Amino acid sequence: MTSKYLSAALNHLGYFGFARLVATATCKVPSAPEPPSKFADDVWASELPSDLVGKVYAITGASNGMGKYLAEMLASRGATVIMLNRKSAHSVKAFEEVKVAAKKAECVHLVECDLCDFASVRSAAATIKSISSELDGLVCNAGLMAQADKRTGDGYDVQIQANHLSHFLLTSLLLKDLAATGKKRGEAARVVQHSSGARSSPDVPISPDCFEKEWESIIDDKGRQGNPRKGDVSFMAKWRRYQQSKSLNLGFTYALADYIAKQGSQGDVIATCAHPGATNSGLQSRTEGGCFMDNLINGIAACVGHSTADGCLGLALATLKPGAQNGDFYGPAGMIGNAVLMPCERDRYSEQLDLIWSGSVRATGAVFD
């Protein structure tokens, strides 16, 4: 956790509020009621299309939080929405709620997709194609945060696979459909990644072992995680993994934007990205915490964060804003606030885009035609 993150929390909460948060973190994750939205209504009313009838969007992680909110807003404006979620009673409940919000309930679809299973991702892509031959947007929203060092059945770290590798694979399976739809519409379809402020906290390069089945870190006999080569066996390993996955989300956006440009297809499909800022969306309660620092990091996001609706604005702009360009990145300029077009961060990845692309292809078996 960076000093910038702590300083922003201190400025927002004040000394006494921050002290209470720290005291609470000694025994549990601090929490706060979700605050009212400040910007969402105005942005949706003035900056985003009001009529989405005939458009088709697929969203991963649409069973709660920002993914569900985006699904509800798209469906309420007439879009066909395909919700990609792991199979659960919770995802079925979210599906029913989005249908209630929809202009036409029959235009909302639920597709089982476990991002920790490449076979499930391939199956989900086939199901999307069977639902609609057109696709205006693929919103790669789903993510895991601060999960312990576990391997998926495919052999990769759960956060790296769920947050990046499976979205890379899903993109490869649907990119041709997106480009064909954009060409037909005369308006570029979009592949949207969802990054985080953690992408640069700390600002370190992508590690090549993100794409390997063996990670540098180990779990010691007390259950602690870390990198023994650096003398670091601590709880921070899972947070480093999360940071790497969120950095990969933005790096992949730039790599995909380059690929699209080289194909001469940016008029048909573009790659965009978003980050939510600190958002009180409930994700903090779904992490695998346990120690004081876990509780503190999660508690700051919960107690400082803005509403789910405001946190979703970067994602909404990346998905829908008229005139968006290949490689655009949207989100609040600070820890919280209204979403804006962010400064390009491509320079951070200038020497790593080949690694991101080739490593992801090797890990997933993805084929880009």
Side-chain angles (χ1 to χ4, degrees):
M1 180 167 50
T2 64
S3 58
K4 181 179 179 181
Y5 187 63
L6 289 171
S7 177
L10 181 61
N11 289 337
H12 183 88
L13 297 171
Y15 285 103
F16 292 110
F18 189 77
R20 285 195 298 271
L21 186 149
V22 171
T24 303
T26 60
C27 57
K28 64 178 182 179
V29 177
S31 62
E34 183 173 345
S37 299
K38 295 182 178 180
F39 311 106
D41 288 347
D42 287 342
V43 172
W44 279 96
S46 62
E47 297 186 39
L48 301 173
S50 59
D51 184 2
L52 296 174
V53 173
K55 297 294 186 72
V56 184
Y57 298 91
I59 308 172
T60 66
S63 64
N64 50 54
M66 288 170 277
K68 181 190 173 190
Y69 179 81
L70 182 64
E72 289 175 327
M73 294 302 294
L74 296 178
S76 72
R77 297 188 174 204
T80 293
V81 176
I82 304 171
M83 303 169 65
L84 304 177
N85 296 318
R86 286 182 294 182
K87 186 176 182 180
S88 69
H90 187 66
S91 68
V92 173
K93 180 175 181 290
F95 170 56
E96 296 298 333
E97 291 172 350
V98 173
K99 285 199 295 183
V100 171
K103 185 171 287 188
K104 290 186 178 180
E106 63 270 23
C107 290
V108 182
H109 304 268
L110 178 61
V111 174
E112 183 178 350
C113 182
D114 183 351
L115 294 174
C116 290
D117 182 350
F118 290 150
S120 178
V121 172
R122 293 182 182 277
S123 176
T127 304
I128 291 170
K129 293 171 185 282
S130 72
I131 292 171
S132 175
S133 61
E134 299 175 342
L135 187 61
D136 294 273
L138 171 62
V139 183
C140 300
N141 161 73
L144 299 176
M145 184 169 75
Q147 300 294 298
D149 188 10
K150 294 181 290 192
R151 299 286 135 179
T152 68
D154 297 300
Y156 298 96
D157 174 78
V158 291
Q159 292 185 97
I160 298 297
Q161 181 161 337
N163 296 4
H164 168 66
L165 290 177
S166 283
H167 284 137
F168 184 93
L169 176 60
L170 188 61
T171 299
S172 74
L173 295 166
L174 296 173
L175 189 61
K176 186 181 294 186
D177 303 82
L178 287 153
T181 302
K183 189 177 187 66
K184 177 181 177 180
R185 304 263 200 256
E187 177 185 0
R190 303 187 189 185
V191 181
V192 184
Q193 304 298 316
H194 208 187
S195 185
S196 161
R199 70 191 183 279
S200 55
S201 300
D203 187 3
V204 297
I206 300 297
S207 172
D209 63 8
C210 285
F211 315 105
E212 304 296 338
K213 293 187 178 182
E214 295 295 331
W215 191 273
E216 285 184 335
S217 66
I218 62 170
I219 300 176
D220 70 5
D221 57 2
K222 295 182 179 179
R224 297 176 301 180
Q225 304 171 70
N227 184 343
R229 298 181 198 174
K230 300 176 182 177
D232 172 23
V233 180
S234 72
F235 81 99
M236 284 304 294
K238 59 177 176 275
W239 289 104
R240 283 200 305 274
R241 209 90 76 252
Y242 179 67
Q243 180 275 332
Q244 289 277 281
S245 73
K246 294 290 101 180
S247 187
L248 280 165
N249 293 149
L250 183 54
F252 174 41
T253 299
Y254 293 131
L256 181 60
D258 283 356
Y259 174 82
I260 290 169
K262 287 177 183 176
Q263 303 304 311
S265 301
Q266 61 264 46
D268 301 330
V269 60
I270 60 174
T272 61
C273 191
H275 82 93
T279 304
N280 188 356
S281 64
L283 178 62
Q284 296 80 21
S285 65
R286 298 189 293 275
T287 63
E288 294 186 358
C291 70
F292 166 74
M293 286 302 293
D294 286 335
N295 294 344
L296 181 61
I297 293 171
N298 284 316
I300 289 174
C303 295
V304 174
H306 48 198
S307 69
T308 298
D310 285 348
C312 186
L313 287 178
L315 203 61
L317 293 172
T319 304
L320 296 172
K321 186 171 178 60
Q325 301 296 306
N326 200 21
D328 276 357
F329 180 36
Y330 297 91
M335 195 171 183
I336 58 175
N338 201 0
V340 297
L341 178 62
M342 296 286 291
C344 181
E345 297 183 15
R346 183 188 173 83
D347 287 349
R348 291 180 52 224
Y349 300 95
S350 58
E351 297 181 3
Q352 294 201 283
L353 298 185
D354 287 343
L355 168 66
I356 293 171
W357 193 271
S358 62
S360 301
V361 166
R362 186 175 64 253
T364 64
V367 175
F368 285 81
D369 294 332

